Amino acid sequence: MTSIALTIAGSDSGGGAGIQADLKTFQELGTFGTSALTAVTAQNTLGVHAVQPIDTSIVIAQLEAILDDFTIGAAKTGMLFSAEIIEAISDTLSRYPTFPFVIDPVMIAKGGASLLQQAAIVALKERLIPMAALLTPNIPEAEVLAEMPITSLSHMEIAAKRLLEMGAGAVLLKGGHREDTPFAEDLFVSADGERFIMKSKRIQTKDTHGTGCTFAAAITAELAKGAPMTEAVITAKHFIHAAIEDGLSIGNGHGPTNHAA
Ligand code: PLP
């Protein structure tokens, strides 16, 4: 049976992040990818030139078209841009049978462009995070959501607990941005009491565009194929490690991770 995954995210014209990264990753991991676009970005490896959100009625129409027809194995969100779009996604998904739902709380692109309006953070916390089987923040995103600075593993533990208390089924707090260790330590905790750390040597490369999108998409693909959450996270960690190690030096800025590594 063909496993079907869904991404609800923004387009990256440069092809390294967003919907493009998600669909390539879904394909690479043997799932059929569907997509509902929330925004279009004009973007390359040097940065974001322009952002245009999609009309909310069209976001809803895309979701309805997909959910009325396909049996979705798992879904993820990426760039959501506004409170209005987040509320529309929450309302629409709650009218359909549930599936494992991964929220990658995308906020700011590497170059500093905002991919989520400030006013949308409350909507993300109240309307979407409680629906998530897994939340996958990096450190800057977890700092915003948990409202605390994170500079150590013990800070990561406290922040992850706070995020679980917001209603997510599990939290994968990605430690790649931490500066006090040569390792990338990702902390997984679940509402069921599971806890583990995935530790890998930090890879020295500038070509990491789309890392977060690709990691969350890989987890989503594994969940769509029926893998249990912890297994999906561990398989996806291997996938993203290889994708970063084999990052593509294309364009003149931060090249993309290699989805086909
Ligand atoms: N553009 C879009 C549409 C995204 O969804 C994301 C990340 O989620 C980015 C850009 C940012 O990617 P990066 O921070 O890896 O440059």
Side-chain angles (χ1 to χ4, degrees):
M1 209 181 70
T2 303
S3 303
I4 306 175
L6 163 65
T7 171
I8 308 169
S11 166
D12 167 9
S13 54
I19 289 274
Q20 288 82 356
D22 294 345
L23 291 175
K24 291 173 196 179
T25 303
F26 289 167
Q27 177 87 9
E28 205 57 40
L29 290 170
T31 58
F32 181 82
T34 61
S35 58
L37 233 66
T38 54
V40 174
T41 71
Q43 186 174 176
N44 58 24
T45 61
L46 295 165
V48 176
H49 295 197
V51 174
Q52 172 72 62
I54 301 292
D55 193 274
T56 306
S57 66
I58 301 298
V59 176
I60 296 170
Q62 292 174 82
L63 289 173
E64 287 175 342
I66 294 162
L67 297 169
D68 283 341
D69 194 22
F70 298 105
T71 301
I72 296 298
K76 76 171 281 277
T77 61
M79 174 184 181
L80 299 175
F81 193 68
S82 70
E84 194 181 319
I85 291 176
I86 289 171
E87 284 159 15
I89 293 167
S90 170
D91 289 343
T92 308
L93 291 185
S94 59
R95 290 192 277 111
Y96 288 88
T98 57
F99 37 72
F101 187 37
V102 177
I103 296 180
D104 182 23
V106 173
M107 292 182 187
I108 296 171
K110 275 188 191 64
S114 174
L115 304 175
L116 184 74
Q117 293 176 333
Q118 192 64 28
I121 290 167
V122 175
L124 184 65
K125 282 187 187 180
E126 293 182 356
R127 299 295 307 276
L128 228 44
I129 290 178
M131 299 173 82
L134 178 70
L135 181 67
T136 64
N138 59 27
I139 287 195
E141 291 156 357
E143 287 182 322
V144 170
L145 294 171
E147 298 181 39
M148 59 176 281
I150 302 172
T151 57
S152 66
L153 186 58
S154 58
H155 289 166
M156 287 174 70
E157 304 268 4
I158 297 165
K161 191 159 168 282
R162 283 192 193 174
L163 299 178
L164 275 184
E165 284 164 3
M166 289 175 196
V171 174
L172 176 64
L173 208 174
K174 298 170 292 184
H177 287 75
R178 243 173 68 205
E179 283 164 7
D180 65 326
T181 154
F183 296 99
E185 282 180 317
D186 300 336
L187 171 66
F188 177 92
V189 290
S190 79
D192 299 340
E194 280 173 295
R195 178 197 171 282
F196 61 89
I197 288 172
M198 296 185 296
K199 193 168 170 174
S200 56
K201 236 186 149 86
R202 198 186 305 277
I203 303 161
Q204 292 306 330
T205 171
K206 65 172 180 45
D207 299 322
T208 56
H209 177 51
T211 306
C213 308
T214 303
F215 196 177
I219 297 169
T220 306
E222 292 304 309
L223 292 173
K225 291 189 287 187
M229 181 61 78
T230 53
E231 208 179 284
V233 166
I234 291 165
T235 305
K237 174 73 178 180
H238 290 127
F239 182 86
I240 192 62
H241 190 83
I244 297 171
E245 221 163 35
D246 206 25
L248 298 173
S249 191
I250 55 172
N252 295 297
H254 290 284
T257 57
N258 187 353
H259 307 103

